[in-house]
Structure formats: structure tokens, C-alpha cells
Amino acid sequence: MSAIDPDSAFTFISQGAIIQEFKVAGHNIVQNFPEAHFYKSHNNAYLGETIGRTTNRVRGAELRNLNGRNYKLAINDGGNHNSLHGGSQGWGRKDFEGPKPVNRNGREGVQFRYVSHDGEENYPGTVECLVWYTAGLEDGKTVLEVEYQIELIGDECEETVVGATNHSYFQVNPGAPTTEGTVVTLGTNEYLELDGNQIPTGQISVFPTVPVPGEAFTLTATEPAIDDCFVMDREAPKSCPLDTRLLPLKTLATISHPNTGLYLEIQSTEPAFQFYTGDGLYIPEAETDKGVKIPPRGKRSGIAIEPSRYVDCAGREEWRRMCKIRKGQLWGARSVYRAWKD
């Protein structure tokens, strides 16, 4: 993989190890803010954030029977009474150490580090999270590899639950108000059925408006409306290792837009991914330090594709082996984002 060029470049910031800019052929394909301070004041949508200490939702905002006790978590999922994206002040709100230049697997990149102490958001145990971003050009395509590693480093408890993913919103028709016209191909059409509180029932079914894997569909101004966890590995609750980084990459999704000829392919070693068409997305108006107005961005202005374990694996004991770690164990994941202009 060759070095990156100015038209295909990345910008990261220390808060949340956020991906602020992902440029392809001169076009930024992630929703962002132009100045770092907006991520503290305006980022209720989690733009570009590293999500943790757990991802997605925890049923009833409670961890039951962990270390022989129960842990109450923050309720921050609207009216659903769940804990979402690590709590009220999850890792996306925290300042990481970095970016630190590194050579990772023979490629130039940056490392971010965050230590989440015992009791933060009422999660047990002190854990260390490392995030690596490596970037380059490969066969004319802009490639970003993201790697996560989490370790229990404290002695406060015997076990804890963890997880991490990135929450970028992608827009391959930059400048357009919505993602209307975006062509999507998913690597699966199976998903976790949800109850009325957005928590999996335990059943895996075929999503009614998504075609068979490999068959494309096009987003309209309103349809399909999706905010669901799609399953790449049905056997994950029994066989998924804590550290998936050595598993083969699987293509989760490819998106493109005919107006721009921009494409994005997302691959991961993770057994599932959240696909969100952004129907509840709202990014408020802002003004830069130089007085430049940033217009608000509304529903369906970006698509979130979040590689992960199953939703509520931290809260559901029969799925918890996917995310429960003890001293000496590593939780890990790897994803590759490959973009190009046709």
C-alpha cells in the first residue's frame, strides 16, 4: 500500500479518536464539523466517534450477574430505558492520548489510547483501549484500516464487558442534503429481530426490505428506513473469539452514488454490523470562530455502518462471551474502509 496523497487524506482528533475527515479524490465522505470544539458542544449524533466501553444498546440499562452482582448503567436511549453507546459520557466524549505516529504492520499510521477507570459510567474494572488508524493507496483506492484492542488492566474485579466501533456517517454524494439516490449492497439480509424497546428478541430473520446478499437497492428520500443489526455470522454467540482480528475480512456493505461516481466498501472481522439510514439524524446549525455559518443537517443526511458484536451482548448472558474479558485476555476487532472514484 503506497503513501496517501493530499486528495485522499484523513484527519483525526483526540476527542473520541474521531475520524474528522475521510477524503477521496478531493471529496470528504463523512459528516463532520470543521473545528474540534464542535464535537463537544454539537455532537449528539456521535459523528466519527469511537463508541465504547460497550457498543449499541444494553437492555434495561443494567448488567446482571457480572462479578456476582448487578450494575446499573445510564439510561440515555430516549424512551426505551436502555443504555446506548457506552452511556451518557461514553468514549466518544473522552479525550484520548494521541495521535501518536506509529508503524503498524509495516504501514504508517497513528495510535490513540484511552484508559477507562473502574466505575466510569458504572462499568466495572479499569480497561485500556488502543485504536490504530493506518492509511494508504491500494490499486488506486483510498484505504483506511481501523484496529481496536481492549484489555482489563485493573485489579478491581475479575471480569468486565467491553466493545468498540466507529460511528461515522457516510455521504458519497457530498454536499447533498440527503443520501437519496445512494446505491447500497449489503453482505447479508439477515438481522436481529427487535422488541418494542429496540432490543433483540434472540431471533434472526430476513429483513423484509433488503434484497439477497450482493443485490443492490437504492435509497429514496424516505425508504427504506433502517436502524438494525445485520448478522454476518449466525454462530457468533457460540464461536466468536474475543479478539476477531485474525479472522478473514468479510464485506459488510458497499455504497455508491451515480452523481459523483464515489464508492465506499466496508469490510470487517466482526460478526455483525448496525446499518442506520439516519432517519433520526439532526445536526444543529453552528458558527465557526471566524463567523462562518454551518447549516443544520437533517434526517437521512448520512449513513452509519458500525461493525460490532450482537446488540445487547453485554446485557444478554447467553451472548456475553462475545464481549466479556478477564485479566490476561484481549478484546480486538479490525475493519477496512476502501473508497474510490469511478
Side-chain angles (χ1 to χ4, degrees), residues 254-302:
T254 302
I255 62 174
S256 64
H257 203 287
N259 288 358
T260 62
L262 292 173
Y263 287 74
L264 173 67
E265 175 190 76
I266 300 176
Q267 297 182 311
S268 183
T269 58
E270 291 289 82
F273 64 97
Q274 189 80 6
F275 186 85
Y276 177 39
T277 49
D279 294 84
L281 182 59
Y282 178 72
I283 305 166
E285 182 183 58
E287 184 174 329
T288 70
D289 293 342
K290 295 182 178 180
V292 177
K293 297 283 188 181
I294 306 169
R297 285 155 283 182
K299 62 184 295 184
R300 297 176 79 89
S301 57

Side-chain angles (χ1 to χ4, degrees), residues 181-189 209-219 224 226 253-258 263 275:
T182 299
V183 179
V184 179
T185 304
L186 298 184
T188 178
N189 62 352
T209 59
V210 171
V212 297
E215 185 175 317
F217 60 98
T218 301
L219 301 183
I226 303 173
T254 302
I255 62 174
S256 64
H257 203 287
Y263 287 74
F275 186 85

Side-chain angles (χ1 to χ4, degrees), residues 94-319:
K94 305 300 184 181
D95 290 327
F96 283 56
E97 298 173 16
K100 174 185 174 182
V102 294
N103 187 290
R104 184 76 177 165
N105 301 321
R107 296 194 295 272
E108 296 300 314
V110 293
Q111 175 189 288
F112 290 89
R113 177 179 181 266
Y114 179 66
V115 174
S116 177
H117 291 283
D118 176 56
E120 184 178 283
E121 291 294 319
N122 210 33
Y123 282 93
T126 298
V127 302
E128 176 192 62
C129 174
L130 297 176
V131 181
W132 291 278
Y133 295 117
T134 57
L137 294 174
E138 187 178 273
D139 299 326
K141 299 176 180 179
T142 303
V143 180
L144 176 67
E145 183 168 327
V146 184
E147 187 180 343
Y148 300 103
Q149 178 179 292
I150 306 174
E151 182 178 6
L152 177 61
I153 60 174
D155 296 319
E156 303 90 354
C157 61
E158 292 185 359
E159 58 189 15
T160 191
V161 289
V162 297
T165 190
N166 183 267
H167 204 292
S168 289
Y169 285 90
F170 298 100
Q171 168 61 291
V172 288
N173 188 20
T178 74
T179 57
E180 182 177 5
T182 299
V183 179
V184 179
T185 304
L186 298 184
T188 178
N189 62 352
E190 294 189 325
Y191 80 112
L192 298 175
E193 286 190 10
L194 301 177
D195 64 19
N197 290 315
Q198 298 297 299
I199 294 296
T201 64
Q203 297 297 312
I204 298 175
S205 301
V206 172
F207 198 87
T209 59
V210 171
V212 297
E215 185 175 317
F217 60 98
T218 301
L219 301 183
T220 71
T222 58
E223 297 293 336
I226 303 173
D227 187 9
D228 289 274
C229 183
F230 286 80
V231 176
M232 297 296 293
D233 182 0
R234 276 178 159 264
E235 301 301 316
K238 298 178 181 178
S239 61
C240 179
L242 275 174
D243 190 344
T244 68
R245 286 177 289 178
L246 294 180
L247 295 180
L249 289 166
K250 295 181 179 179
T251 301
L252 310 184
T254 302
I255 62 174
S256 64
H257 203 287
N259 288 358
T260 62
L262 292 173
Y263 287 74
L264 173 67
E265 175 190 76
I266 300 176
Q267 297 182 311
S268 183
T269 58
E270 291 289 82
F273 64 97
Q274 189 80 6
F275 186 85
Y276 177 39
T277 49
D279 294 84
L281 182 59
Y282 178 72
I283 305 166
E285 182 183 58
E287 184 174 329
T288 70
D289 293 342
K290 295 182 178 180
V292 177
K293 297 283 188 181
I294 306 169
R297 285 155 283 182
K299 62 184 295 184
R300 297 176 79 89
S301 57
I303 302 166
I305 304 167
E306 309 156 49
S308 66
R309 312 290 154 99
Y310 287 13
V311 175
D312 193 36
C313 65
R316 185 184 290 261
E317 291 185 52
E318 62 267 33
W319 290 354

